[in-house]
Amino acid sequence: MAARKTNTKTVKAQTVVPPKPSPSLSRARGVSTWKEAAEWLRARGIEDIECITPDLAGVARGKMMPTSKFTSNTSLALPSAIFRHTISGEYPDETEEFRYDSRDSDIKLVPDLSTLSVVPWETDPTAQVICDIVDTDGKAVRYTPRNVLKHVLGLYKERGWKPVVAPEIEFYLVAKNDDPDYPLRPPQGRSGRSIQGGQGYSIAGINEFDELIDDIYHFSAAQGLEIDTLIHEEGPAQLEINLRHGDPIELADQVFLFKRTIREAALGHGIYATFMAKPMQGQAGSAMHIHQSVVDAKSGKNIFSNPDGSASKEFFHFIGGMQQYVPKTLVMMAPYVNSYRRLTPGMAAPVNNAWGNDNRTTAFRVPVSDAAARRVENRLPSSDANPYLALAASLAAGYLGMMKGLEPTPPSDGTANEGSVELPRGLLEGVALLENEPDLREVFGDEFVGMYAGVKRGEFETFMQVISPWEREYLLLNV
């Protein structure tokens, strides 16, 4: 009997290819979708998330929640009144233009997932996300700072333009101060001595705070924030961080987060970081210089330069707009009584409305560059400004100049910071200039202008309730 033949087949083992991880999982900052957000949070073991938005002062407001609630399509709401209180937490009286919502209705937080990042100084795994503000119908609330800047950028987009900015933020490190009646003083560095002034660009001055600066770098890297350079400025323990140029919303977000980061890093070393414009009498103030250029949205070419490399008409009109409108928006760049202590004759800050080529005594400086990098530096904003509003004001001024074909004055070749002050000399004067300019009302909207002016007047009235050391020194026994 013949043996049966057995048919055998070779079965190839199937290779299981694991799904490729989303590229966003490896990024320190930002995802594209809610699915990616859930994966990003899970991969890092995030337990809590802070949903934050800048108020008029640039202070982070919002809500914290467990990660599971954040990814379950939870509706996040805040009362509209948080955008109507002063820096001291008070609510100004109503006026014809400054009004409260009669129902104090909710406004909604809408997370911008491109801003998702960790909060590196927290002990428990925590993330943060910056939110936009919409009303209950889903429409952008025009008077909120991030939306104010977005609206200005929309005006550029309609013309086929895209602004590019690079902020430079100055700040002081100071010893802890729990009694506001006492002046601030510099902290002790690693040498055990308090650092003094005159340390501009000093590497030794930076090295006094090596461990703190290392924390700033580590915290920044963990959040995907890009520091270009860090230097020591003229004041005692005054530092400056320069950010890489880019999209205005992204850079405003970075300044918003940098301020928070630097304060937290300093607290970890038992000192304060302050962005007050003028924290120490007789010392240099702290600025937030803004470098600005505009590119064609399609080609990416700088519209401030002609094909032959010469300066374009748009470049000069942009400067003309800065000269015309920045003094009227200065209250958005110098928002407090203290801000105007920085803008005084004889100090490093400009008190003029001039422009010049590589001239640091002018309000609007044109740095030395090639044609592709031609830009205008606005040297007037102080570091206490809300970055969203300061950028919106500066870019709106340049936009109006280009739209109206405004011509600038001749450039200043010599010292421009001598003679009379060409800017608002105080907070109320700045408020009035903003209120009384129709072109700015058209750009920012009557609701924002009225609300911002009302808050600033409320802050001034609060300030006027304080009796200063100057008054006790010179009026107590002499009048």
Side-chain angles (χ1 to χ4, degrees):
M1 184 173 174
R4 284 184 182 176
K5 291 183 179 180
T6 302
N7 292 327
T8 59
K9 292 183 179 180
T10 302
V11 179
K12 293 183 179 180
Q14 293 183 349
T15 302
V16 178
V17 179
K20 291 183 178 180
S22 169
S24 64
L25 282 181
S26 61
R27 291 201 298 261
R29 180 176 177 78
V31 296
S32 300
T33 66
W34 280 99
K35 180 182 178 182
E36 288 181 354
E39 293 173 353
W40 189 97
L41 294 165
R42 191 181 310 113
R44 288 160 176 77
I46 299 297
E47 298 174 2
D48 300 302
I49 187 159
E50 301 171 351
C51 299
I52 57 176
T53 195
D55 68 4
L56 283 189
V59 174
R61 308 284 177 182
K63 293 186 175 181
M64 176 181 274
M65 67 193 66
T67 301
S68 57
K69 186 174 182 181
F70 175 73
T71 55
S72 62
N73 199 27
T74 298
S75 179
L76 303 170
L78 294 174
S80 60
I82 69 166
F83 289 96
R84 290 172 170 84
H85 65 61
T86 66
I87 191 65
S88 57
E90 297 172 335
Y91 293 88
D93 293 334
E94 286 190 330
T95 64
E96 185 176 344
E97 284 201 278
F98 178 75
R99 312 293 295 180
Y100 293 97
D101 182 341
S102 59
R103 298 177 300 158
D104 195 14
S105 303
D106 277 346
I107 49 179
K108 292 187 176 182
L109 293 161
V110 178
D112 181 344
L113 296 180
S114 70
T115 68
L116 182 65
S117 66
V118 298
V119 183
W121 51 83
E122 290 286 356
T123 53
D124 295 329
T126 304
Q128 61 191 343
V129 65
I130 300 174
C131 301
D132 284 315
I133 302 294
V134 301
D135 61 21
T136 52
D137 294 326
K139 295 180 181 178
V141 178
R142 277 280 306 273
Y143 59 75
T144 59
R146 208 166 185 254
N147 286 334
V148 170
L149 178 55
K150 283 189 172 185
H151 177 72
V152 172
L153 298 181
L155 298 177
Y156 277 84
K157 187 176 181 180
E158 290 173 1
R159 309 296 301 181
W161 298 332
K162 182 176 175 58
V164 178
V165 300
E168 303 170 347
I169 312 108
E170 297 171 349
F171 60 96
Y172 274 88
L173 301 175
V174 297
K176 279 193 171 181
N177 178 290
D178 59 0
D179 189 336
D181 278 341
Y182 286 88
L184 299 174
R185 56 184 178 83
Q188 290 182 343
R190 65 174 185 170
S191 67
R193 303 181 67 181
S194 293
I195 193 168
Q196 301 303 312
Q199 298 288 329
Y201 294 92
S202 166
I203 298 300
I206 292 176
N207 290 341
E208 282 286 309
F209 304 100
D210 265 348
E211 292 184 2
L212 166 57
I213 290 169
D214 284 345
D215 281 350
I216 291 174
Y217 277 124
H218 294 154
F219 287 169
S220 298
Q223 297 172 87
L225 306 177
E226 296 185 89
I227 295 175
D228 193 14
T229 58
L230 184 147
I231 65 169
H232 197 291
E233 269 291 350
E234 286 296 322
Q238 185 188 29
L239 305 180
E240 176 184 286
I241 283 180
N242 298 338
L243 306 183
R244 296 184 63 184
H245 64 273
D247 175 77
I249 284 288
E250 292 179 11
L251 268 298
D253 287 343
Q254 290 200 37
V255 174
F256 175 52
L257 295 178
F258 263 122
K259 285 187 172 184
R260 198 170 179 228
T261 298
I262 292 165
R263 287 193 193 99
E264 290 289 341
L267 284 173
H269 291 265
I271 60 179
Y272 293 156
T274 180
F275 296 87
M276 281 179 66
K278 188 76 166 180
M280 295 185 187
Q281 184 173 321
Q283 299 292 345
S286 291
M288 182 175 66
H289 299 153
I290 302 172
H291 292 252
Q292 307 155 103
S293 60
V294 181
V295 300
D296 180 87
K298 290 184 178 178
S299 68
K301 292 183 178 179
N302 190 339
I303 71 168
F304 285 174
S305 296
N306 293 317
D308 64 2
S310 61
S312 69
K313 67 180 187 301
E314 288 83 4
F315 170 73
F316 291 110
H317 294 332
F318 189 95
I319 295 174
M322 299 284 284
Q323 290 187 304
Q324 173 73 18
Y325 292 104
V326 163
K328 299 174 183 179
T329 59
L330 188 64
V331 73
M332 296 169 67
M333 306 174 199
Y336 303 104
V337 172
N338 180 261
S339 310
Y340 297 85
R341 300 190 191 281
R342 169 181 164 261
L343 298 171
T344 56
M347 299 304 291
V351 291
N352 57 70
N353 199 27
W355 75 281
N357 294 298
D358 197 23
N359 188 339
R360 283 185 170 84
T361 70
T362 61
F364 313 118
R365 169 178 170 256
V366 179
V368 176
S369 70
D370 59 23
R374 181 172 275 117
R375 61 194 186 276
V376 180
E377 177 192 13
N378 183 355
R379 296 177 59 79
L380 291 176
S382 48
S383 61
D384 57 0
N386 181 322
Y388 301 91
L389 298 183
L391 285 169
S394 194
L395 292 172
Y399 169 82
L400 288 170
M402 291 190 292
M403 294 301 295
K404 293 178 176 294
L406 300 180
E407 296 294 339
T409 63
S412 296
D413 293 327
T415 299
N417 221 23
E418 296 177 348
S420 61
V421 177
E422 300 173 354
L423 301 169
R425 195 62 195 89
L427 183 63
L428 292 186
E429 185 182 349
V431 168
L433 287 174
L434 176 65
E435 287 180 305
N436 294 326
E437 178 49 66
D439 292 335
L440 296 175
R441 283 184 172 274
E442 186 174 346
V443 169
F444 298 128
D446 287 334
E447 186 175 22
F448 169 77
V449 171
M451 188 178 68
Y452 190 77
V455 168
K456 291 298 128 184
R457 285 200 169 92
E459 289 172 349
F460 181 81
E461 292 305 322
T462 302
F463 169 79
M464 290 300 289
Q465 296 172 17
V466 178
I467 308 302
S468 70
W470 185 94
E471 292 163 278
R472 290 191 290 270
E473 175 73 17
Y474 295 106
L475 303 182
L476 181 66
L477 300 177
N478 292 330
V479 296

